[in-house]
PDB file of all heavy atoms in Angstrom:
ATOM      1  N   LEU A  34     -12.162 -11.648   9.171  1.00  0.00           N
ATOM      2  CA  LEU A  34     -13.297 -11.746   8.247  1.00  0.00           C
ATOM      3  C   LEU A  34     -14.170 -10.495   8.283  1.00  0.00           C
ATOM      4  O   LEU A  34     -14.601  -9.997   7.237  1.00  0.00           O
ATOM      5  CB  LEU A  34     -14.168 -12.956   8.601  1.00  0.00           C
ATOM      6  CG  LEU A  34     -13.700 -14.312   8.116  1.00  0.00           C
ATOM      7  CD1 LEU A  34     -14.600 -15.402   8.674  1.00  0.00           C
ATOM      8  CD2 LEU A  34     -13.648 -14.368   6.606  1.00  0.00           C
ATOM      9  N   ARG A  35     -14.416  -9.970   9.479  1.00  0.00           N
ATOM     10  CA  ARG A  35     -15.249  -8.771   9.590  1.00  0.00           C
ATOM     11  C   ARG A  35     -14.612  -7.575   8.878  1.00  0.00           C
ATOM     12  O   ARG A  35     -15.293  -6.826   8.173  1.00  0.00           O
ATOM     13  CB  ARG A  35     -15.509  -8.436  11.066  1.00  0.00           C
ATOM     14  CG  ARG A  35     -16.624  -9.275  11.653  1.00  0.00           C
ATOM     15  CD  ARG A  35     -16.997  -8.828  13.057  1.00  0.00           C
ATOM     16  NE  ARG A  35     -16.050  -9.262  14.071  1.00  0.00           N
ATOM     17  CZ  ARG A  35     -15.958 -10.508  14.532  1.00  0.00           C
ATOM     18  NH1 ARG A  35     -16.739 -11.451  14.061  1.00  0.00           N
ATOM     19  NH2 ARG A  35     -15.083 -10.807  15.458  1.00  0.00           N
ATOM     20  N   LEU A  36     -13.301  -7.414   9.039  1.00  0.00           N
ATOM     21  CA  LEU A  36     -12.636  -6.293   8.367  1.00  0.00           C
ATOM     22  C   LEU A  36     -12.619  -6.505   6.857  1.00  0.00           C
ATOM     23  O   LEU A  36     -12.859  -5.576   6.093  1.00  0.00           O
ATOM     24  CB  LEU A  36     -11.216  -6.093   8.902  1.00  0.00           C
ATOM     25  CG  LEU A  36     -10.478  -4.899   8.325  1.00  0.00           C
ATOM     26  CD1 LEU A  36     -11.241  -3.591   8.562  1.00  0.00           C
ATOM     27  CD2 LEU A  36      -9.079  -4.804   8.906  1.00  0.00           C
ATOM     28  N   ARG A  37     -12.359  -7.733   6.437  1.00  0.00           N
ATOM     29  CA  ARG A  37     -12.392  -8.018   4.996  1.00  0.00           C
ATOM     30  C   ARG A  37     -13.763  -7.679   4.418  1.00  0.00           C
ATOM     31  O   ARG A  37     -13.871  -7.041   3.371  1.00  0.00           O
ATOM     32  CB  ARG A  37     -12.076  -9.483   4.727  1.00  0.00           C
ATOM     33  CG  ARG A  37     -12.010  -9.760   3.218  1.00  0.00           C
ATOM     34  CD  ARG A  37     -12.209 -11.168   2.860  1.00  0.00           C
ATOM     35  NE  ARG A  37     -13.551 -11.596   3.265  1.00  0.00           N
ATOM     36  CZ  ARG A  37     -13.968 -12.844   3.193  1.00  0.00           C
ATOM     37  NH1 ARG A  37     -13.161 -13.784   2.772  1.00  0.00           N
ATOM     38  NH2 ARG A  37     -15.188 -13.169   3.561  1.00  0.00           N
ATOM     39  N   ASP A  38     -14.822  -8.072   5.110  1.00  0.00           N
ATOM     40  CA  ASP A  38     -16.176  -7.797   4.634  1.00  0.00           C
ATOM     41  C   ASP A  38     -16.465  -6.293   4.607  1.00  0.00           C
ATOM     42  O   ASP A  38     -17.143  -5.803   3.706  1.00  0.00           O
ATOM     43  CB  ASP A  38     -17.203  -8.515   5.505  1.00  0.00           C
ATOM     44  CG  ASP A  38     -17.152 -10.027   5.323  1.00  0.00           C
ATOM     45  OD1 ASP A  38     -16.495 -10.505   4.368  1.00  0.00           O
ATOM     46  OD2 ASP A  38     -17.757 -10.727   6.150  1.00  0.00           O
ATOM     47  N   GLN A  39     -15.932  -5.562   5.578  1.00  0.00           N
ATOM     48  CA  GLN A  39     -16.133  -4.104   5.650  1.00  0.00           C
ATOM     49  C   GLN A  39     -15.507  -3.399   4.446  1.00  0.00           C
ATOM     50  O   GLN A  39     -16.038  -2.409   3.951  1.00  0.00           O
ATOM     51  CB  GLN A  39     -15.511  -3.564   6.946  1.00  0.00           C
ATOM     52  CG  GLN A  39     -15.568  -2.060   7.089  1.00  0.00           C
ATOM     53  CD  GLN A  39     -14.816  -1.578   8.329  1.00  0.00           C
ATOM     54  OE1 GLN A  39     -14.578  -2.325   9.261  1.00  0.00           O
ATOM     55  NE2 GLN A  39     -14.425  -0.322   8.320  1.00  0.00           N
ATOM     56  N   LEU A  40     -14.382  -3.930   3.947  1.00  0.00           N
ATOM     57  CA  LEU A  40     -13.632  -3.267   2.876  1.00  0.00           C
ATOM     58  C   LEU A  40     -13.793  -3.943   1.518  1.00  0.00           C
ATOM     59  O   LEU A  40     -13.135  -3.556   0.553  1.00  0.00           O
ATOM     60  CB  LEU A  40     -12.149  -3.216   3.255  1.00  0.00           C
ATOM     61  CG  LEU A  40     -11.844  -2.479   4.558  1.00  0.00           C
ATOM     62  CD1 LEU A  40     -10.380  -2.630   4.919  1.00  0.00           C
ATOM     63  CD2 LEU A  40     -12.242  -1.022   4.465  1.00  0.00           C
TER      64      LEU A  40
END
Side-chain angles (χ1 to χ4, degrees):
L34 279 174
R35 279 187 283 285
L36 184 58
R37 184 202 63 187
D38 291 348
Q39 176 185 339
L40 301 173

